[in-house]
Amino acid sequence: MENLIMTDRISILKNKMLSEPRYASIEQAKIITDTYKANEEKPRIIQRALSLKAALKQMEIHAEPEELIVGNRTAGVRYGVVFPESGSTWVNREFETLPTRPQDRFEVRQEDITYFREVIGPYWKGKSLEDVLRERYGKEIDHIAKVVKINQKDHAQGHICPNCKEWLRKGPAGIKQEADDRLRIAGGQQREFFESVSIVMSGTIYFMQRYQKLLLDMAQGEADEGRRCSMEEVARICKKLSEQPPETFHEAVQSLWFLFVVLHMESNASSFSPGRMDEFLWEYFDRDIMEGRLNEQGALEIIECLWLKFNEIVYMRNANSAKFFAGFPIGFNIAIGGQDAEGNDFVNDLSFLLLKAQEHLGLPQPNLSVRLHEHTGDALLKQAVKVVSMGSGMPQFFNDKAVIPSMEELGVASKDARDYAIVGCVELTTQGNNLGWSDAAMFNLNKALELTLTGGKCLLTGEQLAPNYGDLTTYETFEELETVFQRYLDEYMDLMVKACEEVEKAHIDLLPSPFLSSVIDECMKKGMDVTAGGARYNFSGIQMIQVANLADSLAAIKLLVFDKHKVEAGELLEALRDDFEGKEVLRTMLLNKVPKYGNDVDWVDQLGAKWAEYFKKRLSRYTNYRGGKYHTGMYTVSAHVPMGENVGASPDGRHARQPLADGGMSPVYGRDITGPTAVLKSVSKLDKNLTTNGGLLNMKFLPEFFRTEQGINKFALFLRAFVDLEIPHIQFNVVRKEDLIAAKKNPEQYRSLTIRVAGYTAYFTELADELQNEIIARTSYADI
């Protein structure tokens, strides 16, 4: 595959995409509003289905003459969609500031603002998910917001891996037929469910046929014979897919993309992920190769056209959420490699072609993941390392040796666990049968520790956030401090779960998702929407933020205050209140005289592991509103920056409002001073069962390390050590600090520079100042 090239077609399409301006769009919001006004007496699931069908029939569509894969949810590229069913109040509040806000900007049109304010906004006031939740439970969510960030409050459900195999096997016509057959014998809510599925599938069929007509119209005016034939072929495929399942590789890839376009149009959410593409597309690829319809270069061009489409969809968040999910992490996660159903090594030519596409394009999407295990072959491993060395931040690596048994312990069947995929950033999932709700909430362990030290007061505002059970000066032993810390964890976990239940109830009431439900196993059998518990697995995932800072802070308190008595409790508490002003000697002691997490110092690492394990064990007592389990993850997206802004000075020597550790399992940047192998050993002390909702280890290496075959081989061995240590995840930035500083100063010259943030890749120059600074400050390794 070394001779495979990126064709002129792909270069042209990539340049077109990158040059397009990014706008906020109200087109679908208009259609949704008109549909609801005309159908106010109907059940919500029917209203949702009719509004999606109307959008599929009415939205402006566009195709480029060079495209082999067509379809988008807007006519423009990377448009931010205003979606009133889930959230409109924040849009009304922030519309004018979208072009100038610090993170994830969008251009706006004045006529859109006017129409939104006069027509769309007034209709949805008090009716959207955002407003209903605010009315039902807003005060309670605000009450815990300094410690717990509750998510999913202003958008429909994402973070899910649909059953792509079944979609390809049936197509929209086949699913519509199944829904119609079940509708004839159904009653009550089941009848409404099957009617809604039939409605959205008829809309999808029409949507595909619209692209056929568009392409044939374009072809008529095309002078270039090669482009004309190409457009006519894609038009044929669109028409066929509206009536029949795909048979060829090109048809299967186009069908797959239509699936994800419609999912985004229905939900306007992030992290719908294809899963194991080298597995479910293999039969189409292999048959085409064997029968001579396709060669590897042709297949690669189709894949790279799909890769470009993955980069054409972004999700527009409110300004606060954009801080937590910075850089448009839309989360089309694709997993390659791993194991088959019998536990044997799984890899094929398609695995290498998917890597080649990432090598050629180096774009933020899709979020490419490689599954490793003890028997992964050198060919896949070393090719993946070579792609990593090119600096796009991908692929990231997942460890079957850690992931599969931890999923089985959670209650996932062995067959499903072996076939796991990833959604979004690093969230683990089964394929096609799971509403994992992996983005339910983020719990700031360090804010809880702050309350433990201050008697429940916020260091930043002085506000009494929680009951006073004592402060650092009143605890006679370290164990007494830990008892109070545990008490705060317990109380905030109880409040968090109640808030999560209210969010789930609101999703069931307001945002049923019939199209999504049709591609999630058991929903069709039960006649039940996925939001109501129709899936086989119904998990809820909570992120623990951030164990590294927690371990370092607890270590400083234990060693200097309680064990060696080198620092008075009152002196440390006063320093924290003053953000170490005039206390630089004390701060230096905290930074340099106490071992830190990430350096294989067992007692420090165990402090973090202890509380992560406690959190996970206690969380497992709860059952979510859909009857499923809560479980834990350790990843931040970009939340370590805004969550750090919410925490005062901490005993690890960190200044107030500074970022927390990146990643989720990563050490605090600059404190991992004994090398990358020590980092792996520290992280391995966090039990693999702590991260069934996903864990994230971020590392940064200098490009020079990969310039020789010896460097590639050493890095491959490093990854085999990662597998042996049963760490669930690892990812790498390969970049020079100097290049990042230059990109910050001259963003126009580095427009295409991508960087790994935390489980996803983004354009560095599109990140806010604080996040850019945090990435620049991360430790870089020149060797292993």
Side-chain angles (χ1 to χ4, degrees):
M1 294 190 181
E2 292 299 318
N3 296 324
L4 297 178
I5 63 168
M6 186 170 79
T7 62
D8 290 342
R9 180 198 304 271
I10 302 301
S11 297
I12 291 167
L13 288 170
K14 180 179 179 182
N15 290 334
K16 283 183 178 182
M17 182 195 69
L18 292 175
S19 64
E20 286 282 328
R22 188 170 57 239
Y23 277 89
S25 170
I26 67 165
E27 184 183 10
Q28 190 173 358
K30 289 180 181 180
I31 296 168
I32 291 170
T33 304
D34 290 344
T35 306
Y36 271 75
K37 285 180 177 179
N39 296 277
E40 289 188 332
E41 78 290 351
K42 291 185 171 63
R44 177 52 66 103
I45 194 169
I46 301 298
Q47 292 174 322
R48 288 266 290 153
L50 289 170
S51 65
L52 175 58
K53 180 179 179 180
L56 290 164
K57 295 183 75 171
Q58 298 174 36
M59 290 283 291
E60 181 184 355
I61 61 173
H62 174 78
E64 296 292 341
E66 299 86 3
E67 287 187 311
L68 298 178
I69 303 297
V70 296
N72 202 343
R73 63 174 178 171
T74 57
V77 172
R78 301 182 84 208
Y79 276 21
V81 173
V82 175
F83 206 76
E85 291 170 289
S86 52
S88 55
T89 297
W90 78 262
V91 178
N92 186 55
R93 185 175 62 244
E94 299 181 18
F95 224 141
E96 284 86 354
T97 63
L98 287 173
T100 58
R101 65 186 189 174
Q103 186 64 64
D104 295 0
R105 297 173 181 170
F106 293 86
E107 298 300 318
V108 298
R109 297 179 176 90
Q110 184 56 50
E111 60 267 30
D112 287 350
I113 298 176
T114 301
Y115 189 91
F116 179 86
R117 294 252 164 85
E118 292 178 355
V119 180
I120 299 171
Y123 179 80
W124 287 98
K125 187 174 182 180
K127 299 176 184 176
S128 69
L129 175 72
E130 175 189 19
D131 288 356
V132 170
L133 267 173
R134 171 61 51 190
E135 176 65 27
R136 289 181 182 178
Y137 213 68
K139 290 181 181 178
E140 293 83 352
I141 290 173
D142 288 346
H143 174 67
I144 63 174
K146 293 288 181 72
V147 176
V148 181
K149 182 181 185 298
I150 300 296
N151 294 321
Q152 313 282 10
K153 302 189 299 293
D154 62 3
H155 61 85
Q157 191 50 240
H159 288 85
I160 198 163
C161 181
N163 192 330
C164 297
K165 285 182 184 178
E166 282 296 290
W167 168 262
L168 294 175
R169 189 173 69 83
K170 296 176 181 177
I175 295 174
K176 184 181 186 305
Q177 184 63 56
E178 181 182 351
D180 290 342
D181 291 344
R182 292 179 182 273
L183 178 60
R184 281 191 282 272
I185 59 173
Q189 289 187 334
Q190 284 189 332
R191 183 171 184 81
E192 292 173 2
F193 172 77
F194 291 123
E195 182 183 353
S196 70
V197 172
S198 181
I199 290 168
V200 296
M201 288 304 155
S202 66
T204 303
I205 290 166
Y206 192 87
F207 186 62
M208 293 176 174
Q209 292 172 351
R210 290 181 67 201
Y211 276 97
Q212 179 215 13
K213 184 177 185 305
L214 173 67
L215 288 162
L216 290 178
D217 289 346
M218 291 170 60
Q220 283 184 353
E222 178 58 58
D224 183 278
E225 183 179 357
R227 274 208 298 263
R228 184 172 65 252
C229 291
S230 176
M231 285 187 276
E232 289 172 347
E233 171 62 8
V234 178
R236 181 198 66 78
I237 289 173
C238 292
K239 180 65 163 67
K240 175 180 178 177
L241 294 176
S242 73
E243 300 170 342
Q244 304 171 45
E247 294 176 278
T248 69
F249 182 72
H250 193 174
E251 291 169 359
V253 174
Q254 178 63 71
S255 177
L256 184 71
W257 179 240
F258 274 136
L259 166 64
F260 284 92
V261 170
V262 181
L263 285 170
H264 277 276
M265 290 180 71
E266 179 181 56
S267 291
N268 189 41
S270 62
S271 303
F272 291 107
S273 295
R276 303 184 71 184
M277 271 181 56
D278 57 350
E279 179 191 50
F280 64 75
L281 286 179
W282 172 250
E283 62 178 284
Y284 303 96
F285 171 82
D286 186 49
R287 184 165 58 240
D288 279 6
I289 293 290
M290 295 296 290
E291 296 179 5
R293 279 189 297 271
L294 187 69
N295 58 29
E296 288 181 343
Q297 183 65 64
L300 179 62
E301 190 172 48
I302 292 168
I303 292 166
E304 290 180 354
C305 282
L306 176 65
W307 255 227
L308 292 169
K309 300 304 286 186
F310 283 133
N311 286 274
E312 289 186 3
I313 290 180
V314 298
Y315 171 52
M316 185 171 71
R317 303 174 186 272
N318 66 52
N320 184 58
S321 288
K323 291 182 182 178
F324 288 79
F325 304 91
F328 308 108
I330 195 67
F332 291 110
N333 203 304
I334 291 169
I336 64 173
Q339 300 175 56
D340 63 18
E342 285 74 44
N344 302 310
D345 183 40
F346 179 86
V347 66
N348 56 40
D349 288 348
L350 197 49
S351 314
F352 289 94
L353 284 175
L354 299 179
L355 279 173
K356 181 62 73 173
Q358 182 59 35
E359 176 187 328
H360 280 172
L361 291 168
L363 293 170
Q365 295 297 326
N367 197 0
L368 188 62
S369 305
V370 174
R371 287 179 43 178
L372 301 179
H373 56 97
E374 302 100 306
H375 304 297
T376 297
D378 278 349
L380 179 66
L381 179 57
K382 290 183 181 180
Q383 186 59 37
V385 170
K386 288 176 181 177
V387 177
V388 165
S389 74
M390 302 185 75
S392 71
M394 286 186 270
Q396 59 183 336
F397 298 91
F398 289 81
N399 185 353
D400 287 7
K401 190 175 180 181
V403 170
I404 292 172
S406 67
M407 293 185 79
E408 290 173 335
E409 186 193 79
L410 186 64
V412 173
S414 294
K415 177 178 177 291
D416 290 331
R418 282 202 183 117
D419 199 32
Y420 79 89
I422 304 98
V423 294
C425 298
V426 296
E427 300 95 301
L428 305 173
T429 186
T430 56
Q431 293 194 92
N433 55 20
N434 186 354
L435 179 56
W437 213 287
S438 57
D439 194 26
M442 297 174 170
F443 194 106
N444 194 333
L445 298 168
N446 295 279
K447 193 67 178 181
L449 178 61
E450 179 181 306
L451 300 181
T452 305
L453 303 179
T454 62
K457 287 186 177 180
C458 175
L459 279 174
L460 299 175
T461 66
E463 180 185 359
Q464 190 74 39
L465 296 180
N468 183 353
Y469 301 127
D471 62 38
L472 184 57
T473 64
T474 67
Y475 307 134
E476 296 186 3
T477 65
F478 182 70
E479 289 70 27
E480 189 177 338
L481 180 152
E482 287 189 302
T483 298
V484 173
F485 179 57
Q486 178 179 317
R487 189 169 182 180
Y488 282 124
L489 292 183
D490 293 352
E491 291 180 1
Y492 275 96
M493 287 171 78
D494 291 343
L495 296 171
M496 173 186 70
V497 169
K498 290 178 182 176
C500 288
E501 287 180 355
E502 291 297 326
V503 173
E504 288 202 46
K505 289 178 191 176
H507 275 255
I508 293 169
D509 293 342
L510 302 174
L511 294 175
S513 303
F515 185 84
L516 171 61
S517 299
S518 74
V519 288
I520 298 296
D521 288 1
E522 300 191 16
C523 290
M524 292 289 279
K525 291 178 184 176
K526 297 175 183 176
M528 180 185 291
D529 192 80
V530 68
T531 62
R536 181 181 305 163
Y537 301 108
N538 286 283
F539 300 121
S540 289
I542 308 296
Q543 275 58 267
M544 301 181 283
I545 317 288
Q546 267 305 38
V547 166
N549 295 89
L550 180 68
D552 290 354
S553 289
L554 289 174
I557 296 168
K558 185 177 189 302
L559 186 68
L560 297 181
V561 177
F562 290 103
D563 290 355
K564 295 191 174 181
H565 305 288
K566 288 191 174 183
V567 176
E568 292 293 327
E571 179 188 6
L572 177 55
L573 185 55
E574 182 182 358
L576 298 179
R577 287 171 176 153
D578 296 339
D579 194 17
F580 297 111
E581 186 175 351
K583 305 287 196 314
E584 280 304 316
V585 173
L586 173 57
R587 180 169 179 266
T588 301
M589 185 185 300
L590 295 169
L591 287 170
N592 299 322
K593 297 299 182 181
V594 183
K596 300 293 189 288
Y597 169 84
N599 295 285
D600 194 24
V601 180
D602 192 64
W603 72 271
V604 177
D605 299 337
Q606 293 298 341
L607 279 173
K610 170 184 175 180
W611 287 106
E613 287 166 7
Y614 174 80
F615 191 98
K616 179 248 180 188
K617 184 176 180 181
R618 190 175 190 279
L619 186 68
S620 66
R621 301 178 190 175
Y622 300 100
T623 300
N624 66 27
Y625 195 71
R626 289 163 290 129
K629 296 179 180 179
Y630 280 91
H631 63 140
T632 51
M634 298 174 73
Y635 62 90
T636 63
V637 196
S638 59
H640 57 290
V641 176
M643 282 195 149
E645 290 174 354
N646 195 38
V647 177
S650 45
D652 58 348
R654 178 191 143 275
H655 275 300
R657 302 186 188 276
Q658 291 301 299
L660 300 173
D662 71 274
M665 302 182 295
S666 309
V668 178
Y669 53 86
R671 297 182 186 174
D672 44 335
I673 58 176
T674 53
T677 302
V679 171
L680 290 189
K681 290 183 177 179
S682 283
V683 175
S684 71
K685 295 164 194 172
L686 297 167
D687 191 272
K688 57 182 176 289
N689 297 313
L690 296 171
T691 52
T692 48
N693 192 50
L696 195 155
L697 173 58
N698 232 340
M699 302 185 83
K700 190 163 78 173
F701 281 81
L702 295 175
E704 290 79 3
F705 180 78
F706 299 91
R707 286 183 178 166
T708 66
E709 196 64 29
Q710 182 184 11
I712 297 290
N713 291 338
K714 285 177 72 175
F715 203 81
L717 290 174
F718 181 71
L719 285 170
R720 293 207 183 276
F722 150 80
V723 172
D724 291 341
L725 289 168
E726 298 186 15
I727 299 167
H729 168 273
I730 195 167
Q731 65 180 30
F732 306 96
N733 274 314
V734 179
V735 65
R736 296 179 190 86
K737 182 177 182 179
E738 294 78 11
D739 291 338
L740 297 178
I741 294 170
K744 190 175 179 186
K745 289 181 179 177
N746 302 290
E748 288 304 313
Q749 297 176 25
Y750 290 85
R751 187 181 61 173
S752 62
L753 175 63
T754 56
I755 198 77
R756 203 71 181 165
V757 181
Y760 66 97
T761 293
Y763 293 109
F764 181 75
T765 58
E766 290 186 349
L767 301 175
D769 232 32
E770 297 88 347
L771 188 52
Q772 286 182 333
N773 291 337
E774 185 275 316
I775 291 169
I776 290 169
R778 294 177 187 173
T779 306
S780 293
Y781 298 109
D783 204 349
I784 291 172

